[in-house]
Amino acid sequence: MVATPEKPLQDSASISAFGQARSTVEERPLSAEAVDKIQRFWDACNYLAVGMIYLRDNPLLREPLQPDHIKRRLLGHWGSSPGLSFIWTHLNRVIRQRDLNMIYIAGPGHGAPGFLGPSYLEGTYSEFYPDKSEDIEGMQKFFKEFSFPGGIGSHCTPETPGSIHEGGELGYALSHAYGAAYDNPDLIVAAVVGDGESETGPLATSWHSNKFINPIRDGAVLPILHLNGYKINNPTIPARISHEELESLFVGYGYTPYFVEGSDLESMHQAMAATLDRCIDQIQSFQQKARSTGQAFRPRWPMIVLRTPKGWTAPAEIDGRKIEGSWRAHQVPMADVLKNEDHFRLLEQWMRSYKPEELFDENGKLIAELRELAPVGDRRMSANPHANGGELRKDLRLPDFRDYKVDVPEPGQVEVENTRPLGVFLRDVMKHNPNNFRVFSPDENSSNKLSPIYEESKKFWIAEYFPEDSDGGELAPDGRVMEMLSEHTLEGWFEGYILTGRHGFFSTYESFVHIIDSMVNQHCKWLSICNNISWREDIASLNLLITSTVWRQDHNGFTHQDPGFLDVVVNKSPSVTRIYLPPDVNTLLSVANHCLRSTNYVNVIVSDKQLHLQYMDMDEAVIHCTKGLGIWDWASTDRGSEPDVVMACAGDIPTLEALAATVLLREEFPDIKIRFINIVDLFKLQPDTEHPHGLSDRDFDSLFTVDKPVIFNFHGYPWLIHRLAYRRHNHENMHVRGYKEKGNINTPLELAINNQIDRFSLAMDVIDRVPRLQVIGAHAKERFRNQQIECRQYAYEYGVDAPGILDWKWPYARQMKSPAVSKDDAHE
C-alpha cells in the first residue's frame, strides 16, 4: 500500500508526535510537585528561546509589547529548541539525584536557543559574560545579542558555555560524543541527534561507535534521537517509517532503544523521567559489572527515541495553517510581526502563555525554587570542565624524538621508509601516555608503516573474534589504536577526544583525506573563534599525517592521486593552520615532535610511506625544521656568487627529482651556479604580514633573489605556490611544477614525467629560463628529452623504472657540515 496525504498508512497514529505519552518504560517516578517544577523550569527555557528570537527590549514583558521592543531582523530557529531544553531539564534532574558528571551535545544545527536558555537559567552564562547578568538588564542584553550583529550565532558556537559541538554542519554529534567519552570513565555524554541530522552519511556511520566503548576505562554515551518530524520544509525519513522498522534499525545497530513519544505535558514528563532513570541504571550496571570483574564486554547500550512536535508549545495554528508539529515551526514561526498586527498580538499572547511573571523574581532572576532544579558548580552541563577541555589538558610526556633518528653520514645515500621510525616514536608516546593519547586511522596504520604502535597498544576491538584474529590481527578490547573504515567517524572521535582535553594523531591516505575536508574546515573555524574567547583554554592540536601520497600511487592509479587537501587548509585562518612537508625521516620526527607539543592548531604533515633517500642527520634536521626552509649547501654551487637559477622544492619526491635535475645540469654545465632551497614549512612562502610563519620580504628576497629564475618543484597543485607567493618581488620569475591531474597506473618516474616534475623536465626548464644556457643548451636539452623517452619506454616494457632511476643516489660528497645542535626542537 502506498501512503498519500489523503490516505495515510493505517499505523500513522503510532508515529504521531501528538497525544498522551507512549513510552517503553511505563513507571511514573515524579510527584505532582516535581512535575510542576520541571514544567515551569522548561517554561522558562522556552520563554527565553522565544525572547532570543524576537526581543531586543522589554525582556520580561513588564509593560505591553510594543513594536520598538522587536528586533528589526528576525533570525534564529525555534523548531528544535523546545525539545532540546526539555531534554536538558530532565537531564538536570538525574544529574542532581545521582551526582552525575555529564556534558550535552546538541546535534540539531540551529538549536542554540534550547541550549543557551538553560545555560542562562543555571547562572553559567552570566558567570562567563557578566554583562548578561541575571536581572532585567542582563536578560535584555542576552536577548538582543542573539543572532544580532556583534552578538552570538544561532548554533552552539565556541562562545556558548558547555559546548564542544557547534552543530552548524550536521552529522558529527555522535562521533564527537564518543570521542569525548573515551578514557573518561566517569563521564556520560548526552548526545542529541536531530532527525534531519540522522539522514547524513557521517551520522549514519557513527551509530557503530557503540562497538568502540570499553566499559572498564571509557565513559558512556546516551544517544537521544530527537524526532520532531521535519527538516526545513520536508519530513524526515526516520519520523515517517513504521515504529517497528525504526526500532529494528537501532536494535540492528546494537542498542536497546527506549521510546518516549507524544505531546501531553504531564505524561511526557513522567515518561521522560522514567526512561532516563532506566537508561542511567543500565549504563551504571554495565560499567559496574565490567569494572568489578575486570572483563570488558560489549553491552547493548541504551538509547532514547524522543518523538515530540516540531516547535512544541508554539501556537498550534496561524492563519489556518499548522505551526506546532509542522515544518513551518522550523525557523521563525511569525517573521512578519512588525507588519501584521494580528501576528504581533499573537506573539505577545504566545510569550505570556509561559507566565514569565511567575518564573522570574522582581529583579528578573529565576525564582529560587526553580533554580534549585539545576545542578551546581561543575556539575552544571553548561559549566562542566570537559566542555572546556583545555582546563583538563595535560602536556604529553614525550620521549626524545632524537632517539629515533636515522643515521645519515652523507646526504642522498641511504633509503628508509619515512613513516616507519615515526611509528616507533608514536609507540613510545602511547607508552608514556596510556590514558590521554590515541592514534586514529581508517584501517591504514599498517599500510602507512606505523605498525610499530601495535607493540604498545593494539587496535580496539570488542565485537566478536575468530581464531585467525590471533595471527597478526592486532586486536584487543583494551587497545587504544582506533581503526574504522570511516574517515568521518574517526575525525569526529579525534575532535571529541581533544576538545575534552586529550591528545591524538590521525593518519590517512592523501587522496581520501578530502572526505573530511569539511570537518577540518569546521574545526579550524572553532579554533579561530576560541582564540578570541578569554575563557576558552588551549586544547591539543589536531595532528594529521597525510601519507600514501600522490607520487607513489603505482598500483592504485588516478583515483588515488589528489594532493588538494593542502589547498583546503590554506583557505583557513593563518592563526590556526600549519602545513609541513618533511623530505626525510629526521625532519619528519622533528616536525611530529613539534606538532604533538603544540596547541590550538590544525597541523598537516605530508610524508610518504615508501622508501626514500635520506638527506639530513638529526642536528641538521632540527635546524632546518626550526627555520622552516633553507639553502642546502651540499646541493648548491653558488657559494660566494650570484646564482644562475634557484631550484626550490617541497615534498619528498619533488625534492628527489629536483636534486637529480641539478646533477644533470652540473654534468652538462660544470660552471652553472645553482642555489638549492628546500621548504618544510609551506607557510614560510607567505609574507610575514599574512601568516605568523611567513618570511619577511627582505629574507625572502635574500633567498630567492629579486630577478633570477626560480624553478619550484612542488608536491601539490602548482597554483597553490602562486597563491602563497603572489605578492613576492620575484614572483614573475617563479615557475612552479606540481601535480596537474595527469595520472594512471604509472611508475613513480613516469607519473612525474606526465606532470613535468621529473628531473629531465626540470633540467630542460632551467635551460629555457637561464639566458646564457638558452644559447648553448640545445644539445643538452635534446639528450634530456631522449633520456625521458627512454625511461618511459622502459617503464612500459618492464613495469618498473629503469636502473639508474630506481637506485639513483646523490653523487657528490658533502663539502661542509652544519654545526651540532644540543638545544630542544625550536620550531615556532
Side-chain angles (χ1 to χ4, degrees):
M1 177 179 177
V2 177
T4 67
E6 294 76 24
K7 299 182 70 173
L9 290 176
Q10 292 181 352
D11 68 347
S12 61
S14 70
I15 60 172
S16 168
F18 289 93
Q20 287 282 321
R22 308 179 302 280
S23 179
T24 308
V25 182
E26 297 182 350
E27 285 85 359
R28 296 174 62 86
L30 302 177
S31 67
E33 180 184 8
V35 170
D36 177 66
K37 286 184 178 181
I38 288 173
Q39 176 62 43
R40 287 191 289 146
F41 188 95
W42 184 45
D43 283 342
C45 293
N46 288 333
Y47 179 83
L48 294 181
V50 181
M52 278 181 254
I53 294 172
Y54 283 99
L55 298 187
R56 64 173 183 167
D57 205 350
N58 190 19
L60 282 172
L61 301 182
R62 295 284 169 87
E63 58 183 277
L65 190 65
Q66 300 296 327
D68 284 348
H69 301 154
I70 305 295
K71 295 177 182 179
R72 294 295 177 265
R73 187 181 183 203
L74 299 178
L75 298 171
H77 293 71
W78 164 252
S80 61
S81 295
L84 287 171
S85 59
F86 177 84
I87 295 166
W88 186 298
T89 302
H90 279 273
L91 290 172
N92 274 351
R93 182 187 69 86
V94 293
I95 291 170
R96 280 187 61 89
Q97 286 187 354
R98 301 168 184 247
D99 190 31
L100 298 179
N101 185 13
M102 183 177 285
I103 62 173
Y104 188 101
I105 288 180
H110 293 278
F115 196 111
L116 290 165
S119 174
Y120 180 79
L121 295 176
E122 293 172 353
T124 311
Y125 205 86
S126 301
E127 292 169 13
F128 283 99
Y129 303 101
D131 63 324
K132 314 301 186 304
S133 48
E134 295 180 83
D135 52 32
I136 293 175
E137 181 181 358
M139 188 184 293
Q140 183 267 332
K141 292 180 179 178
F142 180 64
F143 282 0
K144 180 180 177 181
E145 291 195 8
F146 178 78
S147 282
F148 200 81
I152 60 171
S154 63
H155 310 146
C156 294
T157 63
E159 294 95 338
T160 305
S163 173
I164 65 167
H165 173 88
E166 178 156 339
E169 181 172 295
L170 301 178
Y172 316 128
L174 267 187
S175 56
H176 281 161
Y178 279 95
Y182 296 146
D183 295 320
N184 260 332
D186 298 326
L187 184 68
I188 298 177
V189 186
V192 183
V193 177
D195 51 354
E197 179 183 26
S198 72
E199 296 179 2
T200 65
L203 196 286
T205 306
S206 64
W207 288 113
H208 285 299
S209 300
N210 60 356
K211 301 157 184 78
F212 291 84
I213 285 282
N214 181 323
I216 297 176
R217 66 172 184 204
D218 297 329
V221 174
L222 177 59
I224 302 171
L225 176 61
H226 183 207
L227 291 185
N228 60 35
Y230 294 90
K231 304 184 283 285
I232 295 174
N233 61 1
N234 271 298
T236 59
I237 295 169
R240 294 297 183 91
I241 61 178
S242 72
H243 201 285
E244 179 184 24
E245 187 177 350
L246 186 62
E247 183 174 20
S248 296
L249 175 67
F250 291 108
V251 170
Y253 272 127
Y255 292 92
T256 299
Y258 292 94
F259 287 78
V260 178
E261 305 167 279
S263 62
D264 173 73
L265 299 180
E266 193 275 341
S267 61
M268 285 295 287
H269 286 307
Q270 294 284 7
M272 190 64 179
T275 300
L276 280 175
D277 285 342
R278 176 74 61 84
C279 290
I280 301 300
D281 284 344
Q282 284 197 340
I283 287 170
Q284 293 180 332
S285 174
F286 293 146
Q287 291 175 335
Q288 193 277 332
K289 177 182 176 181
R291 294 169 189 180
S292 62
T293 63
Q295 297 296 314
F297 66 100
R298 181 168 75 90
R300 280 193 169 271
W301 296 101
M303 59 88 62
I304 297 172
V305 179
L306 174 65
R307 191 191 307 267
T308 64
K310 184 100 169 175
W312 198 8
T313 73
E317 291 186 353
I318 298 175
D319 297 337
R321 288 180 165 175
K322 189 176 179 65
I323 300 299
E324 184 191 33
S326 159
W327 58 265
R328 291 187 176 88
H330 176 77
Q331 199 164 353
V332 179
M334 295 179 291
D336 60 348
V337 292
L338 289 176
K339 298 178 180 179
N340 187 315
E341 186 174 349
D342 290 338
H343 290 179
F344 181 84
R345 292 304 163 201
L346 183 57
L347 171 63
E348 183 173 13
Q349 292 172 21
W350 176 18
M351 296 193 71
R352 292 192 184 279
S353 72
Y354 298 115
K355 301 180 180 179
E357 68 279 1
E358 298 179 9
L359 306 175
F360 300 92
D361 64 21
E362 62 181 9
N363 296 316
K365 185 175 181 177
L366 185 70
I367 60 175
E369 67 172 308
L370 298 183
R371 182 66 175 268
E372 291 174 356
L373 270 63
V376 297
D378 288 352
R379 284 298 192 247
R380 293 172 295 178
M381 292 185 288
S382 54
N384 193 301
H386 289 90
N388 186 11
E391 291 186 17
L392 304 175
R393 180 185 62 84
K394 296 180 180 179
D395 290 340
L396 288 173
R397 295 177 56 227
L398 293 178
D400 189 340
F401 67 96
R402 296 172 181 82
D403 294 342
Y404 306 86
K405 68 181 180 182
V406 170
D407 290 329
V408 184
E410 290 289 330
Q413 303 300 312
V414 178
E415 282 191 319
V416 176
E417 293 168 326
N418 282 350
T419 55
R420 193 172 295 279
L422 175 64
V424 181
F425 175 61
L426 292 175
R427 175 200 67 191
D428 292 347
V429 175
M430 299 190 80
K431 179 179 181 180
H432 293 310
N433 303 275
N435 301 312
N436 68 335
F437 179 79
R438 294 201 183 198
V439 173
F440 303 82
S441 184
D443 191 33
E444 293 164 1
N445 279 310
S446 294
S447 173
N448 293 336
K449 311 299 172 69
L450 298 178
S451 51
I453 58 177
Y454 301 135
E455 297 168 18
E456 174 57 29
S457 181
K458 305 300 184 185
K459 309 170 199 174
F460 180 82
W461 191 257
I462 206 167
E464 295 299 324
Y465 285 81
F466 288 153
E468 56 267 28
D469 293 330
S470 61
D471 183 17
E474 307 289 6
L475 306 177
D478 62 349
R480 287 180 292 114
V481 181
M482 310 302 289
E483 298 196 16
M484 177 181 177
L485 202 53
S486 167
E487 287 86 349
H488 284 125
T489 303
L490 288 159
E491 175 69 14
W493 291 348
F494 187 13
E495 290 175 5
Y497 196 66
I498 62 176
L499 283 162
T500 48
R502 281 73 61 73
H503 305 255
F505 195 88
F506 188 118
S507 74
T508 187
Y509 286 3
E510 181 178 57
S511 56
F512 303 124
V513 70
H514 277 301
I515 293 170
I516 56 171
D517 277 0
S518 195
M519 295 186 75
V520 173
N521 169 39
Q522 295 296 327
H523 190 72
C524 286
K525 291 177 182 291
W526 179 276
L527 292 177
S528 295
I529 297 298
C530 286
N531 283 339
N532 298 307
I533 300 174
S534 60
W535 55 268
R536 281 282 180 187
E537 301 293 339
D538 293 346
I539 62 170
S541 294
L542 187 80
N543 300 307
L544 297 171
L545 173 66
I546 310 304
T547 188
S548 192
T549 58
V550 55
W551 302 110
R552 295 302 298 269
Q553 290 302 322
D554 320 22
H555 61 297
N556 286 318
F558 196 39
T559 59
H560 283 55
Q561 296 165 5
D562 189 335
F565 183 67
L566 301 185
D567 299 70
V568 174
V569 176
V570 167
N571 289 334
K572 298 298 106 188
S573 169
S575 67
V576 300
T577 49
R578 304 292 184 264
I579 296 174
Y580 302 101
L581 294 101
D584 63 3
V585 167
N586 291 334
T587 52
L588 174 58
L589 289 168
S590 179
V591 164
N593 174 75
H594 165 67
C595 292
L596 289 173
R597 293 180 184 275
S598 70
T599 57
N600 277 28
Y601 295 146
V602 170
N603 293 313
V604 179
I605 308 170
V606 183
S607 181
D608 189 58
K609 63 188 181 183
Q610 306 293 353
L611 287 168
H612 289 275
L613 288 174
Q614 305 300 304
Y615 307 111
M616 286 174 280
D617 65 27
M618 183 55 79
D619 290 337
E620 294 169 323
V622 171
I623 291 176
H624 188 51
C625 291
T626 301
K627 294 187 299 182
L629 82 175
I631 299 171
W632 283 1
D633 284 335
W634 52 267
S636 302
T637 60
D638 69 326
R639 177 176 290 274
S641 62
E642 192 176 39
D644 294 313
V645 65
V646 176
M647 184 70 75
C649 55
D652 35 42
I653 289 292
T655 296
L656 167 68
E657 292 302 315
L659 286 168
T662 67
V663 172
L664 293 175
L665 291 165
R666 289 167 67 172
E667 290 174 350
E668 291 289 342
F669 312 105
D671 61 341
I672 190 171
K673 302 300 182 184
I674 300 173
R675 177 175 298 172
F676 194 93
I677 297 176
N678 179 264
I679 294 91
V680 174
D681 183 345
L682 194 64
F683 283 116
K684 287 291 180 182
L685 299 176
Q686 276 196 300
D688 55 0
T689 56
E690 300 296 322
H691 195 282
H693 285 198
L695 284 180
S696 67
D697 284 338
R698 180 173 295 179
D699 287 342
F700 191 92
D701 292 346
S702 176
L703 285 169
F704 291 91
T705 78
V706 295
D707 58 359
K708 301 302 179 186
V710 178
I711 309 301
F712 198 121
N713 215 30
F714 179 49
H715 173 86
Y717 291 106
W719 37 88
L720 179 56
I721 299 302
H722 290 295
R723 282 180 59 190
L724 295 173
Y726 78 97
R727 289 176 54 188
R728 298 298 191 177
H729 295 144
N730 200 30
H731 178 251
E732 65 179 18
N733 289 316
M734 188 174 285
H735 309 284
V736 185
R737 301 297 182 197
Y739 185 67
K740 298 193 293 186
E741 287 294 307
K742 295 183 178 180
N744 209 310
I745 306 298
N746 308 112
T747 64
L749 182 64
E750 186 201 5
L751 182 62
I753 291 171
N754 288 349
N755 291 277
Q756 297 179 302
I757 74 153
D758 65 291
R759 60 199 69 186
F760 307 113
S761 295
L762 296 174
M764 287 186 282
D765 206 13
V766 170
I767 293 172
D768 290 338
R769 306 293 180 184
V770 176
R772 71 180 182 89
L773 298 186
Q774 293 173 4
V775 178
I776 64 174
H779 290 281
K781 279 183 65 176
E782 197 71 9
R783 280 190 290 275
F784 297 157
R785 189 172 286 111
N786 291 343
Q787 288 176 274
Q788 194 179 58
I789 293 171
E790 290 168 1
C791 286
R792 190 191 296 273
Q793 289 176 337
Y794 189 95
Y796 271 66
E797 183 171 355
Y798 296 102
V800 295
D801 286 322
I805 301 297
L806 281 174
D807 55 2
W808 186 90
K809 301 289 190 294
W810 179 252
Y812 306 114
R814 186 196 305 268
Q815 295 181 347
M816 65 178 298
K817 189 173 180 179
S818 301
V821 179
S822 58
K823 63 181 180 179
D824 284 341
D825 181 2
H827 287 283
E828 295 178 70

